[in-house]
Amino acid sequence: MKKLRVGIIGMGVGEQHIAGFQNHPACEVAALCDFSAQKREMVRSKYPDMSVYENDEAILANPDIDIVSVASYDNYHYSQTAAAIRNNKHVFVEKPLCLYAKEARRIRSLLRERPDLKLSSNLILRKSERFIRLKKMIDEGRLGCLYCVEGDYNYGRLQKITEGWRGRIDFYSVVYGGAVHIVDLLLWLTGSRVVEVSAYGNNISTRDSQFKYFDTVVSILRFENDITGKVTSNYSCVCPHFHNLAIYGTKGTFVNGRETAKLFCSRDPQAGFEKIDAPYPGVHKGDLIYSFVDSIVNGSGADVTIEDIFKVMSVCFAIEKACQKGGAAEVEYI
Ligand SMILES: NC(=O)c1ccc[n+]([C@@H]2O[C@H](COP(=O)([O-])OP(=O)(O)OC[C@H]3O[C@@H](n4cnc5c(N)ncnc54)[C@H](O)[C@@H]3O)[C@@H](O)[C@H]2O)c1
């Protein structure tokens, strides 16, 4: 059978997508694109069998490309995803899918016109073995009934917003760039929907820098089955990158830690806890790609489905809206 031919735009994290696609026997990476000459030179020498382009059109309008992987700056995700779909290509897009609800609605309607096309997004924390173990424990009932779920996206790389492209593009959201991973994790772990959010943000740490948006956003989530949630996107934290996660159920509490996580099953201080030492984060950035390609080849479900992407983006749009106005916002599902 003819292999699916893949083109990847953006050679930062996008370079790590190469191995993800190469893992699947049904596809081959045919083309790479980056508007930086230095990056093009780097990938030309590392991957001599692949075509290397400066302009994204060479991939988006190329009739020989079946799958486009979008790993460009956030502000290009919408136009590149929409163009790829219009040109009948499947899309794997880095998070965030796009920057505005109206763009997400447009992508949704383009996909409705082409139901044969697949879309997935790199919400990679779902592939962390530790969180997979947690999901299994929740599904087995070990935590009882979940009632409160909290997570912090501690970025730990402040210079990326004060010096890099994230501070130079027209709009950057730490909710779409960071909290999106935690929101996805909480939706996946609870299997529930968020109805309403409230949120506040500040830029105390970066107000004298090129970065003009909130660098820290705290949000409270109300789920449809009464679970309460809290998500923080903290880009200014003075600590290394980390995902705090605390999942509270009527029978147990899971708390993530850098070395191991802990599962408490008693309120008795003497009872101790179970160590959950499955690797964290323990993921390769291309780990979601295999199931995405499988979904194209076999019609099976990708680990991150189209529904998942629009759900998580809808919640993130509500959080951004709430913190812009300082208060609450209903989640409008796209
Ligand atoms: N899922 C994850 O865990 C994860 C991790 C890191 C980055 N990301 C996402 O990946 C995207 C890229 O981030 P990064 O950290 O790799 O940035 P980066 O600066 O390291 O690399 C981006 C590369 O893409 C190129 N590029 C950007 N826009 C382009 C365009 N329109 N056409 C051609 N080339 C283009 C740049 O020249 C650069 O070489 C962002 O959307 C980011 O949110 C996701």
Side-chain angles (χ1 to χ4, degrees):
M1 218 173 83
K2 185 180 162 287
K3 288 197 174 191
L4 295 163
R5 289 169 62 83
V6 181
I8 306 175
I9 305 171
M11 288 292 110
V13 74
E15 194 193 348
Q16 298 183 54
H17 292 190
I18 297 175
F21 285 105
Q22 284 177 331
N23 261 341
H24 202 294
C27 59
E28 66 179 306
V29 181
L32 308 173
C33 166
D34 202 297
F35 52 32
S36 144
Q38 209 183 346
K39 284 287 176 73
R40 288 199 301 281
E41 198 180 314
M42 182 272 288
V43 293
R44 252 190 210 112
S45 69
K46 277 173 90 172
Y47 310 100
D49 296 341
M50 299 174 194
S51 305
V52 177
Y53 301 109
E54 175 177 2
N55 194 318
D56 61 4
E57 272 300 293
I59 285 180
L60 296 169
N62 186 335
D64 292 331
I65 296 290
D66 306 292
I67 300 175
V68 175
S69 208
V70 175
S72 51
Y73 301 153
D74 296 7
N75 54 317
Y76 296 108
H77 291 189
Y78 165 67
S79 58
Q80 290 171 343
T81 299
I85 297 169
R86 270 190 217 101
N87 291 333
N88 258 326
K89 300 179 195 314
H90 307 281
V91 181
F92 184 77
V93 58
E94 266 305 340
K95 48 87 242 189
L97 170 68
C98 55
L99 295 178
Y100 301 98
K102 65 174 187 256
E103 295 176 344
R105 276 193 282 276
R106 185 74 194 117
I107 293 172
R108 188 71 155 164
S109 82
L110 285 171
L111 284 169
R112 287 203 174 106
E113 288 163 21
R114 295 165 180 80
D116 50 315
L117 292 181
K118 302 288 183 190
L119 171 80
S120 193
S121 189
N122 210 11
L123 298 161
I124 193 63
L125 286 185
R126 290 187 189 207
K127 292 304 268 190
S128 168
E129 274 189 47
R130 191 169 299 168
F131 299 143
I132 291 172
R133 181 82 60 86
L134 167 61
K135 169 86 170 138
K136 191 160 177 280
M137 292 189 306
I138 292 171
D139 291 348
E140 287 168 354
R142 290 197 62 200
L143 278 77
C145 183
L146 301 188
Y147 64 89
C148 182
V149 292
E150 302 185 357
D152 304 329
Y153 187 86
N154 285 348
Y155 194 57
R157 297 161 294 186
L158 185 67
Q159 76 287 355
K160 285 200 179 194
I161 58 172
T162 54
E163 288 160 33
W165 59 264
R166 290 167 176 82
R168 285 196 295 266
I169 60 177
D170 283 349
F171 173 56
Y172 184 84
S173 160
V174 298
V175 176
Y176 309 160
V180 66
H181 284 295
I182 303 290
V183 172
D184 179 62
L185 209 51
L186 297 185
L187 295 176
W188 176 62
L189 291 171
T190 60
S192 184
R193 276 159 77 91
V194 177
V195 180
E196 192 185 37
V197 305
S198 53
Y200 295 93
N202 70 46
N203 68 344
I204 292 170
S205 297
T206 56
R207 59 169 65 122
D208 296 328
S209 76
Q210 66 157 359
F211 191 73
K212 296 297 168 226
Y213 307 100
F214 292 138
D215 58 54
T216 299
V217 171
V218 180
S219 54
I220 305 289
L221 318 180
R222 182 166 69 81
F223 286 75
E224 64 185 354
N225 52 1
D226 284 346
I227 296 175
T228 51
K230 180 174 79 76
V231 174
T232 300
S233 198
N234 183 342
Y235 271 45
S236 295
C237 58
V238 183
C239 63
H241 189 61
F242 186 64
H243 309 98
N244 276 325
L245 194 68
I247 304 295
Y248 299 91
T250 50
K251 288 188 186 165
T253 299
F254 170 98
V255 182
N256 195 29
R258 287 182 191 270
E259 303 304 323
T260 64
K262 294 175 181 176
L263 177 67
F264 296 89
C265 292
S266 168
R267 295 181 179 97
D268 177 356
Q270 309 306 322
F273 53 82
E274 188 180 322
K275 269 190 191 170
I276 311 292
D277 55 9
Y280 157 83
V283 287
H284 181 276
K285 296 288 186 196
D287 282 351
L288 282 167
I289 291 176
Y290 196 98
S291 79
F292 164 65
V293 177
D294 246 14
S295 76
I296 300 168
V297 178
N298 304 321
S300 52
D303 287 334
V304 174
T305 65
I306 292 176
E307 281 309 314
D308 293 334
I309 300 168
F310 286 100
K311 264 189 214 157
V312 72
M313 288 309 301
S314 301
V315 176
C316 288
F317 289 136
I319 295 174
E320 186 65 42
K321 185 173 170 187
C323 76
Q324 292 293 337
K325 65 175 185 160
E330 264 179 44
V331 181
E332 292 170 34
Y333 281 95
I334 293 165

